[in-house]
Amino acid sequence: MTIHRTQVAIVGAGPAGLLLGQLLHRYGIDNLIVERQGADYVLGRIRAGVLEQTTVDLLDEAGVSRRLHAEGLVHDGYELCFGGARHRIDLAALTGGKHVTVYGQTEVTRDLMEARAAAGLPTVYEAKNVALHDFDGTAPRITYERDGATHTVEADFIAGCDGYHGASRASVPEGAIRTYEKIYPFGWLGILADTPPVSHELIYTNHDRGFALCSMRSPTRTRYYVQCPLDDKVENWSDAAFWDELRRRLDPATAESLVTGPSIEKSIAPLRSFVAEPMRFGRLFLAGDAAHIVPPTGAKGLNLAASDVRHLAYALREFYGERSAAGIDRYSEVCLRRIWKAERFSWWFTSLMHKFPDDSGITAKLQRAELDYLVGSRAAATTMAENYVGLPFEGAAAAVA
Ligand code: FAS
Ligand code: PHB
C-alpha cells in the first residue's frame, strides 16, 4: 500500500486529464493522473480531428503546440454536399476571419503525454478498480490497484476526466446528479487510410443512402465516415465495401476522384447527446466526456473538453493563487451554458445531415429545404459558421484570459 499526496488528483489520461495536468503544472499546482489503460491503448483510439481556435490557444498556453503549428492544417471553410452538388461554407468570410485547425486528437494526446513525461510528472497507467472517496468533505481520496497492491492518492481536489464510461460520474450519489440523454438511431463507421484527401477541405454529405464525411489528418492521411445502422458490425464492412458506399454518397465528380487504399483503422461509434448536471460535487469536478457527450457531426467533443479544462484550470489557479473560491463555485454554471449551446449545434447539424428511419419522407424534404436555405442565406450560413468555429468564452475564464 502506498500513499501519494498531491493537490489535484486527476482520473483519466485522455485529452481532458492530460491538458488539465499540463496547465496545472505550468501554474505550479501539483497533480497526479490515474489512468485505467496503458499509454499505447490511449494513443490507439482514433477520435476527433478538428480543433477550434480557443482549443489551439489553450494548447499554446499549455506549451504543447509546436507540432500542432508545424503539422496542423488551417481550414477556412468546409463544403456541404447534397443534391449531387457541393456548396462551400466560407468560415473566415462569415466569422470575421476565424478558422479551425485539422489536427488529430491522437496527436494532441501524444504531444501532451510527451510534455508530461518531459516534466517528470506522475501518471499511473493500468490502474485497476479506481475508486473515489470523501469528495463531499475537504480530504478527498482516490484508491486504485496495481502490482497486486491497493494504493491511495490524497488530494485537495479530484478532477473526473475519465470519459463517459468512467468511475467519476458513477461515484456521485444518484440524487445529486441529473442526466439528459438522446440516443440517435444510427452510428458512424469510420476508416483511417494513408491516402490523399479527396478535397483540401472537409465535405459533409446529406444523401438518401445516409450521411458521409470526408475528413483528413494530413495531406497523406484521410479519415472518412459513413452513417451506418446502430446494430451494424465493423466485421460486416470490407475496405472495398466501405469505399463503394462512400462513393455512392458523394457527388459524381468527387466519387470519381476519390483515392482509396487499405484501412489502418476501422471502427463504429454510436451517436448520443448527453449532459450531466451539475459538474461539481464538493471537491470533485467533472470535465470532458465524463460530463457530456455530443454526436461528432459538429466536431465539438474534444473542443468542449478543452473549454471545461480551461475553466477548471483557471479556477484552481485562482483558488491556490488568490485563495478565492469564486471560479470553482461558478465552474459548473459557466461550463454548462457553453456545453448546452454546443449540444444544440451538434444535435441540429446531426438532425440536418443524417437519414432518419421510419419516415414518410418528410424529414428528407425538410432537410433539403433547410440546406437550400443555408447555402442561399448569408444570415443562415453565418449562424452555422460561428457555431462551427466555436462560440466565444464568457465569464471568469474570458476575464482572466
Ligand atoms: P476520453 O474518453 O478521451 O478519456 C477518458 C480517459 O479516462 C480514457 O483514457 C479512459 O481510458 C480513462 N478512464 C476511463 N475510466 C477510467 C477509470 N475508471 N479510471 C481511470 N481512468 C479511466 N469528437 C470529435 O470532436 N470528433 C470525432 O470524430 C469524435 N469521434 C469519437 C469517436 C468515439 C468512439 C468516441 C468515444 C468519442 C469521439 N469523439 C469525437 C469525442 C472525443 O473526441 C471526446 O470528446 C474526447 O475524447 C474527450 O476527451 P476526454 O474527456 O479526455 O475523454
Ligand atoms: C474527424 O476528422 O474525425 C472529424 C472531423 C469533423 C467532424 C467529425 C469528425 O465533424
Side-chain angles (χ1 to χ4, degrees), residues 173-188:
E174 210 166 306
I177 193 167
R178 178 167 180 191
T179 60
Y180 303 82
E181 186 161 50
K182 179 183 187 59
I183 295 175
Y184 296 87
F186 39 73
W188 277 19

Side-chain angles (χ1 to χ4, degrees), residues 43-48 67 104-111:
L43 277 175
R45 289 190 295 237
I46 306 302
R47 291 196 177 158
R67 206 158 60 93
Q105 175 174 319
T106 303
E107 305 319 313
V108 172
T109 305
R110 194 190 316 279
D111 295 338

Side-chain angles (χ1 to χ4, degrees), residues 46-51 102-105 188 191-192 202 204 211 213-217 222-225 295-300 345 349 388:
I46 306 302
R47 291 196 177 158
V50 172
L51 304 182
V102 172
Y103 188 70
Q105 175 174 319
W188 277 19
I191 198 168
L192 193 68
L202 273 57
Y204 292 84
F211 168 83
L213 170 59
C214 302
S215 184
M216 62 196 77
R217 291 292 180 271
T222 49
R223 180 73 169 161
Y224 292 105
Y225 298 95
T297 321
K300 291 294 162 221
F345 174 69
F349 199 10
Y388 192 87

Side-chain angles (χ1 to χ4, degrees), residues 69-354:
H69 290 298
E71 299 173 15
L73 305 172
V74 174
H75 282 205
D76 290 326
Y78 56 80
E79 290 183 301
L80 299 173
C81 179
F82 59 94
R86 287 161 49 175
H87 307 264
R88 187 164 187 266
I89 299 292
D90 188 338
L91 295 174
L94 293 164
T95 63
K98 292 184 181 178
H99 53 252
V100 294
T101 302
V102 172
Y103 188 70
Q105 175 174 319
T106 303
E107 305 319 313
V108 172
T109 305
R110 194 190 316 279
D111 295 338
L112 285 163
M113 280 182 178
E114 287 173 1
R116 188 166 184 86
L121 300 178
T123 308
V124 178
Y125 284 102
E126 297 174 347
K128 300 305 175 200
N129 299 322
V130 174
L132 287 70
H133 311 273
D134 305 331
F135 48 83
D136 55 349
T138 56
R141 289 175 300 121
I142 292 174
T143 55
Y144 65 90
E145 291 162 18
R146 196 172 192 289
D147 306 324
T150 298
H151 307 271
T152 298
V153 181
E154 295 178 346
D156 300 331
F157 298 99
I158 299 174
C161 301
D162 48 350
Y164 180 73
H165 300 289
S168 298
R169 190 179 73 248
S171 304
V172 176
E174 210 166 306
I177 193 167
R178 178 167 180 191
T179 60
Y180 303 82
E181 186 161 50
K182 179 183 187 59
I183 295 175
Y184 296 87
F186 39 73
W188 277 19
L189 166 63
I191 198 168
L192 193 68
D194 279 337
T195 56
V198 73
S199 173
H200 67 291
E201 294 178 326
L202 273 57
I203 303 173
Y204 292 84
T205 291
N206 171 299
H207 190 278
D208 62 19
R209 293 180 67 89
F211 168 83
L213 170 59
C214 302
S215 184
M216 62 196 77
R217 291 292 180 271
S218 76
T220 59
R221 178 163 285 193
T222 49
R223 180 73 169 161
Y224 292 105
Y225 298 95
V226 294
Q227 173 185 346
C228 65
L230 203 53
D231 58 358
D232 209 343
K233 299 278 180 283
V234 69
E235 301 77 48
N236 299 339
W237 289 86
S238 66
D239 288 358
F242 179 92
W243 296 122
D244 288 346
E245 187 57 39
L246 177 61
R247 281 197 191 89
R248 290 188 196 102
R249 300 187 188 186
L250 296 171
D251 62 286
T254 308
E256 182 62 34
S257 62
L258 179 70
V259 176
T260 65
S263 61
I264 302 169
E265 190 267 357
K266 197 163 39 181
S267 55
I268 290 178
L271 271 67
R272 75 176 77 237
S273 299
F274 173 84
V275 179
E277 290 188 353
M279 293 168 60
R280 182 221 178 155
F281 309 89
R283 292 294 181 105
L284 167 63
F285 297 87
L286 301 181
D289 277 18
H292 44 75
I293 297 285
V294 283
T297 321
K300 291 294 162 221
L302 176 56
N303 293 297
L304 273 183
S307 64
D308 293 349
V309 164
R310 172 181 165 143
H311 289 304
L312 185 53
Y314 287 177
L316 290 167
R317 177 173 64 178
E318 187 186 51
F319 176 82
Y320 285 106
E322 301 162 37
R323 309 311 295 176
S324 160
I328 57 177
D329 289 344
R330 294 186 66 229
Y331 170 74
S332 184
E333 167 207 346
V334 172
C335 284
L336 283 167
R337 269 199 293 273
R338 194 164 195 272
I339 288 160
W340 276 112
K341 289 174 185 165
E343 291 280 350
R344 181 212 63 85
F345 174 69
S346 303
W347 156 79
W348 169 79
F349 199 10
T350 301
S351 305
L352 177 64
M353 299 304 287
H354 290 74

